Amino acid sequence: MTTVSCLMLLFFSGVFFFTYHSMDQNTTNIIDKGYNAHTSQTVPNPDETGESFSRFTPAFSVDVDPEKNIIIVNSYLNEDSRFYETLLSLVGEEERNLGIIKRENTYWKYKIFNNVDNTRIVFLDISKDMQISQNLLVLFLWIALPMLLVIYLISRSFADRAIKPIEDAYSKQKEFIGDASHELKTPVAIIQTNVSLMLANANEETKKWLLYIQNEAFKMENLIRDLLFLTRSESAKNEFTILSFSNIVKEYLISLEAVFFENNIECATDIEEDLQVYGDAEKIKNLITILIDNAIKYTDGNIVINLKRESQNLHFSVYNTGIGIKKSDMKRIFDRFYRADNVKQTKEGSGLGLSIANTIVKGHKGKILVDSLEKKWARFTVVLPITKTRKTSPLVEPTKNISEERSVIELNYEEP
């Protein structure tokens, strides 16, 4: 509809301005011809015949001296000198050699011809032309608006018919993923339980195969959990409350101290206190877990976690040295099940973690940014609106939001 509206606007504007320009050029030609064929008359007389163009067109001329005093008037109008003086004063205000002035309900087009002895100003009544232009503009509006409405209704009807099969297929796809994931939970849980029981009585050779089965069952369980989360997050209502983002990050980092020690990872942190957001507690925890776990999985030994306030937003960034992200993969890393080639070769995963993180951030009216230098480092930054501390007031969703549109940007490729 925007495209159609612009095309119609261009078409009607072109027709209008072409018509207006043609009438304007025609009136200018009439004035020029009238000046060339002009025979001066000191006494206006509409009944007098002569060679003046005023007999054929609603035009007249006035000759003035350098002080703009009237010398000669050649006019078809039976008007007193005050009428011509008023028009001359309006021309003086315009300070142009060619223009349009309005006196009462009449439009006059004038042109100034500078001669050696005096200055001649020719006036032409163009009220009819102006009325035609206005009527043309009104006509275009009366035509364009109903046309746009009709085109909109037709387009909407065809669009609904065209999109409905896609919408139904998408809805059925989500329903299938949700139902299948839910149905798979029980058999996977049974497999894990039976494997655990068999491991208790198995010999060393059998244990090896049972551990393979158990490991794959854990992977399947995680995949089912992620699929269920994505399916439910698109339709479920968020349970938003005021949360301390700072405390959630610090609590999770405390739980990871043993992991950092066992994997010989140096983790530097800079967490600003009392930064609060209006959000879903479980989803915020999941977001933080995904970003930090990814940093642990792909780091070669160094992680930096920062949380700080910038203006009315909090910036939570997770930086890690390691394999980094290729420039060609930057725009696709948030797609579901997408995993870069260098990641597939070295690490296990389903490719749903960052997609879940992006879904959570969008649901909280924020944005997630990524920048990286391949084979050196990567950094993910979450930007969310900060909620001011409230002690007694009710919980209210903050009004300041960041664009919901997913943002993937590439910053300067220099190690921080």
Side-chain angles (χ1 to χ4, degrees):
M1 283 306 301
T2 302
T3 303
V4 171
S5 300
C6 290
L7 289 175
M8 289 185 65
L9 178 63
L10 287 174
F11 173 75
F12 286 124
S13 299
V15 173
F16 175 79
F17 285 112
F18 175 78
T19 304
Y20 182 83
H21 177 73
S22 297
M23 291 190 297
D24 183 66
Q25 189 64 40
N26 184 52
T27 54
T28 302
N29 292 336
I30 291 174
I31 290 176
D32 291 337
K33 290 179 181 179
Y35 170 75
N36 295 329
H38 175 73
T39 301
S40 298
Q41 299 177 20
T42 57
V43 180
N45 187 351
D47 298 326
E48 183 177 351
T49 60
E51 300 298 328
S52 172
F53 71 93
S54 303
R55 294 172 55 244
F56 310 104
T57 57
F60 63 88
S61 67
V62 179
D63 289 1
V64 296
D65 60 19
E67 285 75 29
K68 293 190 177 179
N69 297 316
I70 298 176
I71 302 173
I72 299 173
V73 175
N74 178 45
S75 175
Y76 70 98
L77 299 173
N78 191 12
E79 298 283 354
D80 57 20
S81 60
R82 227 178 310 175
F83 171 79
Y84 302 105
E85 290 172 355
T86 302
L87 290 182
L88 289 173
S89 65
L90 294 174
V91 171
E93 292 175 359
E94 293 291 327
E95 296 183 349
R96 291 182 296 176
N97 290 331
L98 180 66
I100 298 174
I101 57 176
K102 182 182 180 182
R103 182 181 182 276
E104 296 179 352
N105 294 323
T106 306
Y107 289 91
W108 296 94
K109 185 172 185 178
Y110 70 87
K111 187 172 183 180
I112 300 175
F113 299 90
N114 293 310
N115 300 320
V116 177
D117 299 328
N118 56 29
T119 298
R120 177 168 295 163
I121 306 175
V122 180
F123 294 87
L124 177 66
D125 185 353
I126 60 168
S127 298
K128 290 184 179 180
D129 291 343
M130 296 298 291
Q131 187 63 44
I132 291 172
S133 299
Q134 293 173 4
N135 292 340
L136 185 63
L137 184 60
V138 172
L139 179 63
F140 283 165
L141 290 176
W142 278 102
I143 293 175
L145 294 179
M147 282 183 64
L148 284 175
L149 178 60
V150 171
I151 292 172
Y152 169 76
L153 294 175
I154 294 174
S155 301
R156 180 64 181 266
S157 176
F158 279 104
D160 288 342
R161 291 172 60 183
I163 292 175
K164 194 174 187 312
I166 302 173
E167 186 179 7
D168 292 342
Y170 181 69
S171 178
K172 290 178 181 178
Q173 181 187 32
K174 288 199 302 180
E175 185 178 352
F176 169 76
I177 293 174
D179 293 344
S181 300
H182 183 76
E183 292 298 325
L184 287 171
K185 288 175 64 178
T186 301
V188 169
I190 293 173
I191 292 173
Q192 290 177 332
T193 302
N194 290 335
V195 168
S196 298
L197 292 174
M198 293 174 67
L199 280 171
N201 302 311
N203 56 40
E204 291 301 322
E205 182 64 22
T206 305
K207 279 185 178 180
K208 179 178 72 172
W209 303 109
L210 291 175
L211 287 173
Y212 288 153
I213 296 173
Q214 187 181 54
N215 185 43
E216 293 302 318
F218 280 131
K219 290 181 184 178
M220 182 66 71
E221 182 185 29
N222 292 332
L223 178 60
I224 292 170
R225 184 190 65 239
D226 291 343
L227 285 173
L228 281 173
F229 176 87
L230 285 172
T231 303
R232 292 170 179 171
S233 64
E234 293 178 352
S235 56
K237 292 183 178 179
N238 294 314
E239 298 180 1
F240 279 14
T241 56
I242 296 179
L243 310 169
S244 174
F245 201 98
S246 303
N247 289 344
I248 296 175
V249 174
K250 288 192 292 185
E251 288 173 4
Y252 186 64
L253 288 175
I254 290 173
S255 68
L256 292 176
E257 288 182 354
V259 176
F260 291 143
F261 178 79
E262 291 176 2
N263 292 276
N264 197 26
I265 296 174
E266 293 289 335
C267 181
T269 61
D270 184 7
I271 310 298
E272 187 173 335
E273 299 289 338
D274 298 326
L275 293 185
Q276 296 183 334
V277 296
Y278 186 75
D280 187 302
E282 291 302 319
K283 291 182 179 180
I284 291 295
K285 291 177 182 178
N286 199 6
L287 169 67
I288 294 170
T289 300
I290 290 170
L291 295 181
I292 296 179
D293 285 0
N294 274 359
I296 294 172
K297 184 187 295 185
Y298 299 114
T299 188
D300 61 3
N302 294 287
I303 296 175
V304 179
I305 299 173
N306 290 318
L307 177 63
K308 58 183 178 179
R309 176 197 299 265
E310 289 192 11
S311 184
Q312 298 299 315
N313 303 317
L314 68 78
H315 286 233
F316 172 62
S317 66
V318 180
Y319 164 91
N320 66 274
T321 57
I323 61 176
I325 304 170
K326 291 182 180 180
K327 188 175 181 180
S328 58
D329 295 326
M330 296 279 281
K331 294 181 179 180
R332 297 195 59 192
I333 56 174
F334 294 104
D335 293 344
R336 295 180 183 181
F337 298 105
Y338 180 78
R339 303 184 72 222
D341 293 335
N342 58 340
V343 172
K344 292 178 182 178
Q345 298 170 1
T346 57
K347 303 291 181 179
E348 296 181 350
S350 62
L352 287 175
L354 290 177
S355 179
I356 292 173
N358 185 52
T359 301
I360 294 172
V361 172
K362 287 170 63 178
H364 287 75
K365 311 302 180 186
K367 56 183 178 180
I368 184 168
L369 315 173
V370 57
D371 53 301
S372 176
L373 184 60
E374 187 181 357
K375 296 182 180 179
K376 288 194 175 183
W377 57 271
R379 175 172 52 211
F380 289 86
T381 303
V382 173
V383 183
L384 294 174
I386 293 176
T387 300
K388 295 181 180 179
T389 304
R390 295 181 177 87
K391 294 182 180 179
T392 58
S393 59
L395 301 181
V396 180
E397 186 174 358
T399 58
K400 183 173 182 62
N401 293 334
I402 304 168
S403 171
E404 294 186 15
E405 182 180 0
R406 188 187 78 185
S407 178
V408 181
I409 61 172
E410 300 169 12
L411 305 180
N412 296 329
Y413 286 94
E414 297 177 0
E415 186 171 355

